[in-house]
Amino acid sequence: MPWRSTARSTRRFRPRDAVEVLRASFLYLSHRRGLQRFVTRQRLTASLAHRFVAGDRLDDAVQAVTKLNRRGWSASLDHLGENVSEEKAARVATDDYLAAFERIASERLNANVSVKLTQLGLDISPDLCQELLARILQRAQQLDNFVRIDMEGSAYTQRTLDLVLALHQRYPNCGVVLQSYLYRTVDDVARANEAKVRVRLVKGAYHEPPEVAFPKKADVDAKFAEEMQQLLLHGDYPAFATHDDRLIEATKQFAHERHIPLDRFEFQMLYGIRRDLQVRLLREGYRVRIYVPYGTEWYPYLMRRLAERPANLLFLIRSMIRERRAA
Ligand SMILES: Cc1cc2nc3c(=O)[nH]c(=O)nc-3n(C[C@H](O)[C@H](O)[C@H](O)COP(=O)(O)OP(=O)(O)OC[C@H]3O[C@@H](n4cnc5c(N)ncnc54)[C@H](O)[C@@H]3O)c2cc1C
């Protein structure tokens, strides 16, 4: 690990090293199921989670999206859950997504849905996953809606792309997510553009080894900028999902220089993060979609949000101190 000092090492431990340690720790903890049970039962962590999660139920998400739509944002609903190990759970998740599409239609919401393939049983059987995803895509197509397939850790990248590219031929109403931290993504962007598959470009939220991903943030950002340009020039309605001011400015600038109309792409951001930026972009006339997670399985999602910004932990500690004093 790059931050580990050895007896021979003379490099001093810098604040950035501490952030890296925290980041890696949160991503490690995101896979610890035993801890998940403990953490989700704690009132404080539950209250921190609710900064980033619309609520436990579909009703909560519908309420949140209604408010967002009223103010001009579109949304993507994410029913939290991943890495299911039983077929029954994958089928329940599928039914939940079908229910979400019915509510979007009946409430006339401006929203689509984001799905993780490990929630639909990718770890159990690729055939099961394909069957369940096809059911969701078919219903979404009947309702003239769209399904975004989230991208998970690199162990799933190829399988996710293969499945999306195969199903896209029958259901063009699906798109994928590509992560600029992976070396392979430049090529994947070209493949997606060629197949006219819609891409959401992100930096990437999982812990990846240097064999597959750029270890340095500067390289990840540079690749994001390069891939953003390829998507704006050759992609089908790309989405740029970042809260990074510099990359958002670069996207705006490039679109302006190339006379790309503002309705040919969108920005996407996470519920509860950089609301100032969400408002500003909307006021400037850009399309902005908010990713709205809901459900009780928020533990891995929360850990990834803490990893992205360990300062979120300070919020948790401050709340703990306040609660202790009030008790
Ligand atoms: C709509 C959407 C969908 C996504 N889907 C996927 C996916 O399918 N697969 C995947 O791997 N990743 C996904 N991500 C996560 C993404 O990969 C990044 O981990 C995440 O967006 C943080 O990176 P950033 O681009 O905002 O840039 P950073 O450089 O990490 O952050 C830029 C600034 O944004 C703010 N910020 C960022 N994260 C947080 C946070 N957690 N809390 C508070 N402030 C924060 C801070 O002000 C920070 O300085 C998604 C992100 C978005 C917005």
Side-chain angles (χ1 to χ4, degrees):
M1 284 183 282
W3 58 79
R4 189 181 287 161
S5 72
T6 64
R8 264 176 280 147
S9 168
T10 52
R11 192 164 80 73
R12 289 186 47 211
F13 194 79
R14 297 163 309 174
R16 192 184 292 173
D17 297 331
V19 171
E20 281 309 312
V21 172
L22 280 171
R23 199 184 298 280
S25 308
F26 284 127
L27 290 175
Y28 171 77
L29 292 175
S30 71
H31 300 293
R32 304 269 71 84
R33 291 284 166 169
L35 195 65
Q36 168 164 1
R37 276 189 289 280
F38 172 74
V39 169
T40 41
R41 270 193 240 118
Q42 307 304 309
R43 210 150 43 93
L44 274 168
T45 36
S47 80
L48 177 63
H50 284 99
R51 282 187 71 188
F52 303 117
V53 173
D56 287 351
R57 296 161 312 134
L58 177 58
D59 281 344
D60 300 319
V62 167
Q63 213 174 16
V65 172
T66 306
K67 281 191 198 149
L68 291 169
N69 283 175
R70 239 182 252 140
R71 297 187 58 193
W73 291 287
S74 58
S76 191
L77 284 179
D78 165 32
H79 186 229
L80 292 164
E82 51 201 87
N83 293 108
V84 305
S85 52
E86 286 173 19
E87 181 173 336
K88 192 171 162 224
R91 292 195 180 276
V92 168
T94 306
D95 289 342
D96 288 340
Y97 277 116
L98 295 173
F101 273 120
E102 300 307 324
R103 282 297 290 282
I104 290 171
S106 67
E107 311 257 347
R108 295 172 188 274
L109 299 177
N110 182 359
N112 60 33
V113 154
S114 291
V115 173
K116 284 186 177 48
L117 293 188
T118 64
Q119 192 180 13
L120 302 184
L122 187 59
D123 287 331
I124 307 168
S125 136
D127 289 345
L128 170 72
C129 183
Q130 176 156 355
E131 174 208 322
L132 299 180
L133 181 59
R135 270 184 67 199
I136 295 174
L137 289 173
Q138 189 178 34
R139 188 64 189 132
Q141 195 173 53
Q142 288 161 353
L143 294 168
D144 198 19
N145 209 326
F146 178 82
V147 181
R148 177 76 64 181
I149 316 300
D150 283 347
M151 190 57 85
E152 304 177 67
S154 59
Y156 301 105
T157 309
Q158 191 59 50
R159 281 180 282 169
T160 302
L161 277 172
D162 288 345
L163 198 51
V164 174
L165 285 165
L167 284 175
H168 185 264
Q169 297 180 14
R170 237 185 316 151
Y171 303 107
N173 60 322
C174 68
V176 75
V177 178
L178 295 176
Q179 301 150 320
S180 71
Y181 64 13
L182 295 184
Y183 303 133
R184 57 175 289 162
T185 293
V186 176
D187 296 332
D188 291 337
V189 164
R191 270 176 79 199
N193 283 347
E194 204 179 314
K196 303 214 175 311
V197 172
R198 284 204 216 165
V199 171
R200 171 203 293 154
L201 184 64
V202 300
K203 291 188 188 180
Y206 296 81
H207 189 53
E208 300 293 357
E211 289 75 34
V212 299
F214 295 99
K216 288 195 191 135
K217 182 172 161 40
D219 294 329
V220 177
D221 292 356
K223 280 291 159 196
F224 189 109
E226 182 185 329
E227 289 149 7
M228 167 270 288
Q229 297 188 358
Q230 289 312 304
L231 286 164
L232 278 177
L233 290 174
H234 308 296
D236 178 20
Y237 194 71
F240 303 104
T242 180
H243 315 88
D244 186 326
D245 292 285
R246 282 181 38 238
L247 287 172
I248 288 173
E249 278 313 308
T251 307
K252 286 156 60 174
Q253 173 98 21
F254 189 75
H256 178 70
E257 282 165 13
R258 299 301 176 109
H259 308 290
I260 296 167
L262 303 195
D263 61 359
R264 293 269 302 282
F265 64 97
E266 66 183 33
F267 289 109
Q268 297 187 355
M269 294 189 203
L270 299 177
Y271 183 79
I273 296 182
R274 290 297 312 266
R275 288 189 200 125
D276 56 324
L277 200 49
Q278 299 174 5
V279 171
R280 194 183 346 131
L281 285 170
L282 207 60
R283 286 204 184 125
E284 290 170 351
Y286 292 96
R287 291 184 170 191
V288 186
R289 185 177 301 275
I290 309 297
Y291 186 96
V292 179
Y294 67 98
T296 52
E297 297 286 312
W298 45 257
Y299 172 80
Y301 183 84
L302 174 65
M303 289 297 138
R304 289 197 289 275
R305 301 299 76 85
L306 288 171
E308 283 154 6
R309 193 160 181 267
N312 286 332
L313 190 63
L314 286 177
F315 172 87
L316 179 66
I317 293 167
R318 265 192 243 121
S319 320
M320 277 168 76
I321 293 170
R322 241 182 277 131
E323 283 216 357
R324 278 271 155 81
R325 283 196 185 133

